[in-house]
Amino acid sequence: MHHTLLLILGLLFAVFLLVMLAQRFKIAYPIFLVLSGLGISLIPGVSSLQVEPEVIFMIFLPPLLYEAAWYTSWNDFWKWKRPISLLAFGLVFFTSLVIAYVSSAVIPGFTLALGFLLGGIVSPPDAVAAATVLKGMKVPKRILTILEGESLVNDASSLIVFRFALLAVLTGTFSFQEAVGQFFIMAGMGIVVGIAIVHVFYVIHRFLPTTPAIDAALTVMTPYILFLVAEEFHFSGIMAVVSGGLFMSYRAHEVFQTGSTRLNMLGVWTTMIFVMNAFVFVIIGLKLPEIIAGLGEYSVWQAVKYGLLISLITIVLRFLWVYPAAFVPRWLSARVRRDPSPGWKGPLVISWAGMRGVVSLATALSIPMLMTDGTSFPHRNLIIFITFVVILITLVVQGLTLPFIIKLIKIEEIDNIAREDEQQAGIQLRLDNIALDHAHKRHSEELEDNELLAFYKENIKLRLENTRMQLNSVECSEMQLVEVKKYQHVLMEIYALQRKELFKLRKEKHFSDEEIRKAEMQVDLNELKITGAKHL
């Protein structure tokens, strides 16, 4: 126990160092961690770390999906539901079908059921990999929404395909009509279970006297309860988590009404998701020696050849699906043509962003060792190795080249969306108008007698004037942009000096730690206005 705990702590420390190194080299950390995991696995003793696939599903998957759903805009998700559905359901089934027939024709002894099993494993792209690679890049909002929405739902559809294919291999029987019916039941009832259970948490958060710590703890519990209850009834736990996350995100303004609660939750979830994401990607690299050792009757070269073939097929199939899915509906429907055309650049980015990740590996590792009659599961080790090759090829090759492709094609926003600074100014204008109107209507006398309120009123008036000037200017000149950046740079320097001063005050012991922490929090909030929550 002590050895395993020390190994895990050492691995986590190494992961944090590797993430910092990846940021130094400006490489998306999932790619860097997978490659580093390969190197770490060669260190004696490290490869002995065993992580069961059930652990990945039960511990990592629910919160990762819940967090992704939380930060997905329901309005945007519903607006682009057609392309999201075509990718999350249509492309998964299309990929599974083609891989099933190709693999059964190419790999000796591979049955059609085993082909569907492999197709269900490698069909869903990974949400974290694409989001990490695209972070900070100028990508149209529509593309980001489609990729995020696809990654939320495709894990559920691929796992359902996997389960039916696994049942066909174990029992030797398969009914297409029954599988289709069961698919809609599992997915639909998963959504029902998710919405029903999350309403319970909604009531607790909103109407019971919770604290910020309790609220944060409950949000951590929520995805696990959603997943476990749905799976207990043999419904889709993933759909339960995703639907619950979308609902709570949509109602968050009603549920979490205090700043302390939101800041506390932000800290808890940011740290937890970062650790989980980093850990699961290094696990992929660590698994390679174990996978190679289990190949058995296949040589490494044979397995690599099959893995490269399946990788090529999965990449090509995504292109063959994405372009028709982007343009055929526009030819058939006038309503769809109301939206601006995606052109050739948008589908190119979506096609090349199909990187596979930890869900595919966990699914492959969950294949049972033995059949129901006690014999070995056919081609299990080869399926796991092919999955690893697909993950490695798509993650490293596509992940490293995607930023260069985006820069090369110079993709621009295709929808009529206001610039980020304009939206922020518009929001601030509304908020300041509400504050000023409330102060005049309800506290007019205090505005005259209370110096603090009078000062607050003048600040709002000044900010309103500045905001209106900003909104009236169509474009900022280069000089204005330089001035804004210089202003922000100076403020960041000031905040850094203020933190050092607060550290000195703590050592002098003239002020209480509680008051110093409050001052630190205010400095953090001031900095947050510049850097934004997305940089946390």
Side-chain angles (χ1 to χ4, degrees), residues 110-128:
F110 224 68
T111 64
L112 197 59
L114 287 171
F116 273 106
L117 190 73
L118 178 60
I121 291 171
V122 301
S123 56
D126 184 80
V128 178

Side-chain angles (χ1 to χ4, degrees), residues 331-352:
W331 301 338
L332 301 177
S333 172
R335 186 176 61 84
V336 176
R337 287 195 295 273
R338 294 174 191 167
D339 296 319
S341 172
W344 63 271
K345 296 180 180 180
L348 174 63
V349 173
I350 292 175
S351 299
W352 200 244

